[in-house]
Amino acid sequence: MTEFLSTASAPGKAILLGEHAVVYGKPAIAIPVSQLRVEATIEAFRCPDNEIWIDSPTIRLYKNIKDLPYEHPLREVVEMTLAECKNRSFPGLMIRINSSLPIGGGMGSGAAVSCAVIRALSKCIDGQPLATETINRLTFEVEKIYHGNPSGVDNTVITYEQPIYFRRNTPLVKIKIGKTIHLVIADTGINSATSLMVSGVRKRFDQNKEIYQQKFDAIAKLVDEAREAIESGNIQLLAETMNENHRLLQEIEVSSFALDRLVKTARSAGALAAKLIGAGGGGNMIALCTGETAKSVSQALNAAGAVRVFSFTLTGEQTEE
Ligand code: MEV
């Protein structure tokens, strides 16, 4: 019989405003998407002591971690976790990873996998998970393998599972939700690598420093306005900032035909605002709705060919509708 030793999960995330500019030291607002999660389960496994195997059906991986390349993010996650744990010996283990998050969809699947594995494995080996701060730091280290130069926003919102106002190298600020926010997320179904999108922006930034700096400053101003709007419950102002943020993201060339099409569909169906989320190029978009329009916007996005659409509300604690 399978012996389950520990389990832990981590949510997906959506960046409401500020992606890309956040890499250049500007603020961003990110929320956890608790309905879509990665779950890591640790089981006793018949293999030599101190050996660890990974089973991740989503990426068709079933291997002893020692047989993965040194730079493989899952090998790094496991080895960094073991280095932080107090206990040095344990029985043979199997880590099973299950995810409902789209890979390459701008919703933080890589960071959620790292976070869930670190939590579950450390709980199994030491009897309690590592401190949240340590989990966040290790998840960030693995993000560097996935993305090269991550801002840290993804690992932070995923590890703390709270709406946050995030700025590189400054203490995290949790955001209070003044009034219920109705959101719909839709997936273009097109995978996009964050590292490529981030390096593309870097290249254009290096060629047009002054113009890009102005755009990042404009995004930073929107983020600050949006934070006030969220805290005071001014949904109309939040909508204006999100729409304008999408326009600036188009200008820095990270949107795409498929994303713009879903953004337009959502607005035509009554969304107050719509924008891409995350690195762009493909992946997901988000629509800001009211309680009355969320359903019609979801239907319109489905009809327009989105591969997955779901709605949820943000009330300080997210609840599924
Ligand atoms: C990716 O989810 C968000 C980006 O701003 C990259 C980063 O912050 O590391 C595009």
Side-chain angles (χ1 to χ4, degrees):
M1 212 172 82
T2 309
E3 195 188 345
F4 296 103
L5 302 177
S6 70
T7 183
S9 71
K13 60 89 198 176
I15 297 185
L16 279 190
L17 287 102
E19 50 273 271
H20 286 290
V22 69
V23 173
Y24 298 79
K26 306 296 177 195
I29 294 173
I31 57 169
V33 179
S34 300
Q35 294 78 5
L36 301 183
R37 305 190 75 83
V38 171
E39 187 176 64
T41 304
I42 316 291
E43 296 169 8
F45 191 55
R46 272 181 199 279
C47 62
D49 282 356
N50 279 28
E51 227 174 62
I52 297 186
W53 284 64
I54 291 215
D55 178 19
S56 179
T58 327
I59 54 165
R60 294 200 182 84
L61 182 84
Y62 185 91
K63 262 195 166 42
N64 184 333
I65 64 136
K66 285 196 202 115
D67 295 330
L68 290 172
Y70 283 108
E71 284 284 285
H72 193 288
L74 284 170
R75 180 167 182 165
E76 289 274 340
V77 172
V78 169
E79 288 181 347
M80 286 194 308
T81 306
L82 296 181
E84 291 285 339
C85 283
K86 290 187 189 69
N87 280 333
R88 289 282 161 253
S89 62
F90 43 85
L93 298 174
M94 168 64 80
I95 304 174
R96 290 197 204 281
I97 302 170
N98 282 298
S99 174
S100 54
L101 278 167
I103 296 174
M107 295 195 64
S109 71
V113 166
S114 303
C115 181
V117 168
I118 296 165
R119 246 183 216 142
L121 187 60
S122 57
K123 191 152 87 179
C124 171
I125 291 179
D126 275 356
Q128 60 176 25
L130 291 167
T132 311
E133 247 179 79
T134 312
I135 296 174
N136 190 31
R137 176 171 53 79
L138 298 187
T139 304
F140 181 56
E141 288 305 313
V142 185
E143 284 293 282
K144 290 184 191 164
I145 306 174
Y146 281 113
H147 304 154
N149 179 28
S151 65
V153 65
D154 290 7
N155 50 283
T156 306
V157 68
I158 283 166
T159 307
Y160 288 91
E161 202 165 347
Q162 299 261 356
I164 57 167
Y165 174 90
F166 175 90
R167 194 172 193 145
R168 245 185 148 141
N169 304 323
T170 59
L172 145 85
V173 178
K174 293 179 183 162
I175 296 189
K176 211 170 59 356
I177 310 293
K179 188 172 168 190
T180 301
I181 299 174
H182 297 265
L183 297 163
V184 175
I185 289 182
D187 194 342
T188 61
I190 299 166
N191 283 0
S192 167
T194 300
S195 55
L196 288 181
M197 297 308 295
V198 170
S199 61
V201 174
R202 171 68 62 187
K203 205 168 134 205
R204 294 188 288 281
F205 171 84
D206 286 339
Q207 287 161 355
N208 307 282
K209 277 213 171 86
E210 210 176 312
I211 289 173
Y212 268 64
Q213 201 59 64
Q214 280 167 12
K215 294 190 198 299
F216 294 152
D217 287 343
I219 291 174
K221 198 161 166 271
L222 293 172
V223 171
D224 284 339
E225 283 170 15
R227 177 182 167 186
E228 273 183 45
I230 292 171
E231 296 197 323
S232 66
N234 187 343
I235 304 294
Q236 194 50 48
L237 176 59
L238 174 62
E240 283 163 28
T241 58
M242 287 172 69
N243 279 329
E244 179 61 8
N245 193 174
H246 184 72
R247 198 186 60 75
L248 287 162
L249 289 165
Q250 286 173 317
E251 284 188 4
I252 64 167
E253 297 178 41
V254 295
S255 195
S256 67
F257 178 77
L259 281 165
D260 286 343
R261 192 167 155 268
L262 293 185
V263 163
K264 212 166 146 196
T265 301
R267 289 180 188 156
S268 305
L272 298 170
K275 68 176 277 290
L276 69 87
I277 47 173
N284 286 263
M285 53 74 67
I286 198 162
L288 173 64
C289 301
T290 61
E292 289 74 42
T293 57
K295 199 165 172 198
S296 55
V297 170
S298 300
Q299 282 166 347
L301 288 165
N302 270 314
V307 299
R308 170 161 56 183
V309 178
F310 74 97
S311 61
F312 62 104
T313 54
L314 201 60
T315 55
E317 270 197 41
Q318 289 187 51
T319 48
E320 208 159 353
E321 287 194 330

